[in-house]
Amino acid sequence: METLKFKTNIKCGGCVATVTPSLNAVEGIQSWEVDTANPDKVLTVRAETATAADVKRAVEAAGYKAESLN
């Protein structure tokens, strides 16, 4: 299990709801969460087989930005 972290512009519950279908559709993601209280809006993903590129692509497909912190 690998933990991937990303700086995002996912800033509220509505944003989280928008990105949820995209992230949930990625094969190999065990779980994920966005810390909207953090100034960097950190997305933490626990991945079995998904890569940072997979996660970034899913976030961008939902209309948001993700910059790897790993």
Side-chain angles (χ1 to χ4, degrees):
M1 187 79 60
E2 185 177 8
T3 300
L4 306 170
K5 291 187 180 275
F6 301 85
K7 178 179 177 179
T8 72
N9 62 342
I10 300 169
K11 59 186 179 285
C12 66
C15 300
V16 171
T18 301
V19 81
T20 294
S22 294
L23 284 172
N24 286 350
V26 177
E27 274 301 309
I29 290 181
Q30 182 71 27
S31 64
W32 62 272
E33 66 181 1
V34 180
D35 182 359
T36 56
N38 183 309
D40 288 336
K41 312 302 181 206
V42 175
L43 165 64
T44 303
V45 177
R46 291 181 42 82
E48 291 178 338
T49 57
T51 66
D54 295 333
V55 174
K56 185 174 181 186
R57 204 168 19 254
V59 171
E60 290 174 350
Y64 295 93
K65 296 177 184 167
E67 179 183 322
S68 183
L69 295 175
N70 292 19

